[in-house]
Amino acid sequence: MDYTPSELMIVNASRALRGSRVVFVGVGLPNIACNLARRDHTPSIELVYESGVFGAQPARLPLSIGDPTLVSRASSVTSISDLFMLYLQGGLVDVALLGGAQIDKYGNLNSTLIGDYAHPKIRLPGSGGACEIAINAKRFLVIMRLKRRAFVENLDFLTSPGHLDGGNAREKMGYPGAGPQLVITDRALFNFDNDDHEMTLIEVAAGETADSIRADVSWPLRVADHLKVMEGPTAVESAIIREQLDPDGLYR
Amino acid sequence: MKFIKSCPQFIEKVLNVLKFTIKKYVYMEAIQDIMATNNNKIITMKEAVEQYVHDGDSVAIEGFTAFISFAAAHEIIRQKRQELTLIRMTPDLIYDQMVAAGCAKKMVFSYLGNPGVGSLYAIRRAVEKGIPKPLEVEEYSHFGMVGRYIAGGSKLPFFPLQSYKGTDLPKANPLIKTVKNPYGDGEIAVVPPINPDVAFLHAQRADAQGNVQIWGLLGMQKEVAFASKKVVVIVEEIVDEEIIRRDPNRTLIPSIVVDAVVVEPYGAHPSYVQGYYDRDNAFYLDWGKRSRDLEATEAWLDEWVYSVADRKAYLAKLGKERIDSLDAGEMMAEAVNYGRYE
């Protein structure tokens, strides 16, 4: 097996972005995944960063979403107010990538804190733009590592709405976007393609089984009838990641 | 001529009045010139903090990853301001350092992280354990903070946005409310205006009166300038008014809303200024390790803030090699023609 769990997440995210036009990019793995998609199969992809950049063509891997390399060569750089009002809430974002410390079975995300709000055990970054991205992007993908303490029955805090309590809850709430479509982890992929919009295991990494995944999910997990085994990175994908996007192996 | 000859005294009188009028006009112009020069708002950072930051004030040192005035933060720490309400979308290392130094009683924010690295440990210590003192938090999403600045600058009672419904954020922050849509069905979330007592905003350049030009990540610099009661701009360089007037589209903040101008090259380090220097990512990564430890954090403040007199001394300590390593390189934009229209 000549790839790392992080690389597996990156290529799965990149593949899920095939054919996408306007993608809202976050830091870390999502950043590499989006840049991989642009270089590998969808050159017309427009990378949007909440720092106000539209159509970025970063010449180096940006550590933060506010890196100056995102500005140089971009098609437009706007104020943050324009970015959130006209681009995101205006409905131009096709797909976004989000993460979190906790996720529940409807894809709701917590990035605010662990514990009680008044007395947090661990204070996390909070929403940033995640709350409005989850509401306004036409759809979003979740990227996070599979751990029992992250895949929880009840979130400590709901920062960014997924399918809320399932079914057509998003529609009732009047959200413009369709919510989470795919959860990409280091060991498995999940979608929400059922009437309840409940997270369902659809693919596992080599060496994993439905049971090994179930063991790290805190609720009784739905499993697809035909479970697929994930394909590792192709030679082209590996080369782009290792030689161009992350030569120093920061995210390996 | 006859008439003139016959009334020499009258003519002289008329001429004198004319002379006086002309002199007065020339004199007034000269005064205006002097007043324009006196409209020079350049002061030092030390003076800016002495004059514009008081204990208990609400302070916004904005800049989204770029243009963050660490020079202002360090001077506020050195002058030992207390009980401040710190306002920023992304508190970043700058507020981590100010909270570690005990300057803050409250923070208004939307993303509490070391961008691209991880946690802000000094702020976490304050929130989770009350070290060095408890920190009150008032949190929004990014768009919520955006809305607050816009409402603050444009004197709106609130700003509506499609965020928050169905989330726990309004429970955590009762200032996030909902109103009924007066034109249709349903409700929409609203946030209140914010008007910081003082803002510190870094940029590439300004003239002496404070007409400020910025390019790169514009962030919320413009909206914050209009929303704040007092505005101090910090620039890499001062340029002639003529340079500003030749490219008015790039003037994001007009002098009418600026109270003081501080010239502080590299004043944003370890943040960056587009085209002038790069972000010092190594510093951000290093802070991610150092700030986990209370003593290491305090030792850093001693060495790099309390023991240096000002930004010049900080840069001298940082050293030429480190500064040179942050070279931005060069990629010039094409010049554009505004036309003369005379």
Side-chain angles (χ1 to χ4, degrees):
Chain A
M1 189 173 85
D2 183 30
Y3 55 84
T4 67
S6 295
E7 286 173 328
L8 196 58
M9 293 168 82
I10 291 166
V11 299
N12 274 301
S14 165
R15 290 166 192 169
L17 294 171
R18 183 180 282 277
S20 298
R21 181 85 178 108
V22 182
V23 181
F24 208 101
V25 191
V27 280
L29 298 185
N31 196 3
I32 302 183
C34 295
N35 282 285
L36 173 60
R38 188 171 73 80
R39 294 183 190 208
D40 185 23
H41 51 72
T42 308
S44 60
I45 207 166
E46 302 280 9
L47 305 181
V48 185
Y49 290 79
E50 66 182 10
S51 52
V53 181
F54 182 82
Q57 296 196 349
R60 68 179 188 203
L61 183 71
L63 177 73
S64 72
I65 51 153
D67 194 287
T69 192
L70 299 172
V71 171
S72 301
R73 289 166 293 268
S75 31
S76 178
V77 179
T78 76
S79 67
I80 305 250
S81 45
D82 281 356
L83 200 279
F84 279 101
M85 280 196 285
L86 305 177
Y87 288 77
L88 179 62
Q89 194 172 263
L92 297 184
V93 175
D94 294 322
V95 54
L97 294 92
L98 294 174
Q102 290 179 331
I103 187 168
D104 67 16
K105 67 177 167 183
Y106 294 115
N108 302 302
L109 293 164
N110 170 19
S111 59
T112 300
L113 49 79
I114 303 298
D116 166 51
Y117 193 82
H119 307 281
K121 206 163 87 192
I122 300 172
R123 177 63 228 205
L124 301 164
S127 165
C131 172
E132 38 265 356
I133 292 166
I135 287 172
N136 293 294
K138 287 180 191 153
R139 62 191 181 97
F140 68 89
L141 315 174
V142 179
I143 300 192
M144 54 195 286
R145 284 169 208 282
L146 181 69
K147 289 176 198 146
R148 198 172 171 84
R149 67 163 196 268
F151 282 63
V152 299
E153 186 98 50
N154 296 301
L155 300 179
D156 288 19
F157 192 95
L158 199 165
T159 315
S160 310
H163 295 287
L164 296 171
D165 54 0
N168 63 349
R170 284 186 68 97
E171 225 171 283
K172 276 192 276 180
M173 198 60 87
Y175 293 160
Q181 309 289 295
L182 194 65
V183 179
I184 297 159
T185 77
D186 46 346
R187 294 160 53 200
L189 293 184
F190 308 85
N191 71 12
F192 300 88
D193 293 350
N194 53 69
D195 289 345
D196 301 323
H197 287 125
E198 184 180 323
M199 198 188 295
T200 304
L201 178 66
I202 55 168
E203 282 190 34
V204 291
E208 300 281 356
T209 64
D211 280 344
S212 70
I213 301 301
R214 262 192 204 105
D216 277 326
V217 173
S218 306
W219 66 86
L221 180 66
R222 279 199 198 189
V223 178
D225 294 339
H226 303 287
L227 204 55
K228 288 194 347 199
V229 176
M230 274 188 220
E231 278 176 48
T234 65
V236 173
E237 286 169 334
S238 285
I240 295 174
I241 295 172
R242 293 181 181 188
E243 285 157 32
Q244 298 177 27
L245 296 174
D246 187 20
D248 299 332
L250 277 175
Y251 296 94
R252 212 165 289 164
Chain B
M1 286 306 279
K2 237 184 188 176
F3 175 72
I4 292 173
K5 271 186 188 164
S6 65
C7 322
Q9 285 162 319
F10 176 70
I11 294 297
E12 204 179 320
K13 255 189 185 169
V14 170
L15 281 175
N16 275 342
V17 167
L18 264 172
K19 253 194 209 163
F20 179 72
T21 311
I22 291 164
K23 251 191 187 168
K24 191 177 160 194
Y25 180 72
V26 171
Y27 178 67
M28 283 306 289
E29 272 217 321
I31 289 274
Q32 274 169 355
D33 275 358
I34 291 163
M35 279 175 62
T37 323
N38 280 353
N39 203 18
N40 180 335
K41 295 176 186 160
I42 301 173
I43 59 175
T44 66
M45 186 62 87
K46 187 163 176 285
E47 292 167 333
V49 172
E50 281 167 359
Q51 287 174 34
Y52 295 108
V53 185
H54 315 97
D55 287 351
D57 278 356
S58 60
V59 181
I61 311 180
E62 267 291 358
F64 201 91
T65 319
F67 304 113
I68 306 174
S69 183
F70 279 81
H74 290 179
E75 186 56 34
I76 292 171
I77 294 173
R78 267 193 295 274
Q79 293 194 23
K80 299 196 161 54
R81 290 296 183 272
Q82 301 285 314
E83 299 288 298
L84 301 177
T85 293
L86 298 178
I87 304 163
R88 246 186 89 76
M89 293 174 68
T90 61
D92 201 278
L93 271 48
I94 187 171
Y95 284 179
D96 213 35
Q97 293 172 358
M98 291 179 80
V99 167
C103 299
K105 71 156 191 234
K106 181 178 176 182
M107 204 162 51
V108 183
F109 69 97
S110 48
Y111 182 83
L112 201 60
N114 178 340
V117 180
S119 279
L120 292 173
Y121 291 99
I123 293 172
R124 276 186 58 182
R125 272 194 294 278
V127 172
E128 294 168 12
K129 300 184 183 120
I131 300 171
K133 52 176 104 164
L135 183 68
E136 198 186 321
V137 296
E138 181 183 315
E139 75 180 295
Y140 299 83
S141 60
H142 277 346
F143 195 15
M145 285 296 286
V146 164
R148 294 204 64 189
Y149 285 133
I150 293 174
S154 58
K155 302 285 186 282
L156 282 171
F158 55 78
F159 181 94
L161 65 167
Q162 299 282 14
S163 305
Y164 301 129
K165 272 188 295 183
T167 77
D168 286 337
L169 279 153
K171 286 179 223 159
N173 179 358
L175 288 174
I176 300 171
K177 297 182 188 296
T178 52
V179 296
K180 199 180 160 298
N181 174 0
Y183 301 104
D185 296 334
E187 294 189 319
I188 189 155
V190 293
V191 291
I194 193 164
N195 297 100
D197 290 325
V198 59
F200 287 82
L201 303 166
H202 197 106
Q204 278 97 346
R205 66 189 188 193
D207 61 21
Q209 296 107 70
N211 290 300
V212 185
Q213 297 196 326
I214 306 181
W215 56 98
L217 295 184
L218 305 177
M220 289 301 286
Q221 303 300 72
K222 180 175 77 179
E223 291 83 350
V224 176
F226 281 88
S228 300
K229 293 169 195 159
K230 296 286 175 188
V231 174
V232 178
V233 294
I234 306 97
V235 290
E236 293 293 316
E237 55 183 329
I238 286 288
V239 293
D240 265 6
E241 190 181 332
E242 171 67 9
I243 304 270
I244 301 290
R245 289 185 180 277
R246 286 172 72 111
D247 191 6
N249 275 145
R250 221 186 295 275
T251 308
L252 206 68
I253 304 172
S255 66
I256 187 83
V257 296
V258 172
D259 295 278
V261 178
V262 175
V263 188
E264 204 78 273
Y266 291 97
H269 176 271
S271 169
Y272 73 94
V273 172
Q274 192 80 30
Y276 284 65
Y277 46 96
D278 201 351
R279 189 170 187 257
D280 193 344
N281 285 332
F283 187 100
Y284 277 81
L285 289 161
D286 179 59
W287 184 262
K289 295 180 199 128
R290 176 189 303 275
S291 59
R292 284 168 188 260
D293 182 63
L294 178 62
E295 279 175 26
T297 307
E298 285 172 347
W300 188 89
L301 287 173
D302 272 340
E303 189 185 342
W304 288 89
V305 182
Y306 294 116
S307 305
V308 296
D310 52 22
R311 197 62 177 178
K312 270 204 189 88
Y314 172 94
L315 293 172
K317 188 171 162 55
L318 196 61
K320 190 176 178 306
E321 205 182 316
R322 181 78 173 256
I323 291 171
D324 287 349
S325 75
L326 304 173
D327 181 41
E330 192 175 285
M331 193 167 81
M332 306 299 286
E334 292 297 314
V336 297
N337 182 23
Y338 278 90
R340 299 199 73 91
Y341 306 108
E342 287 166 333

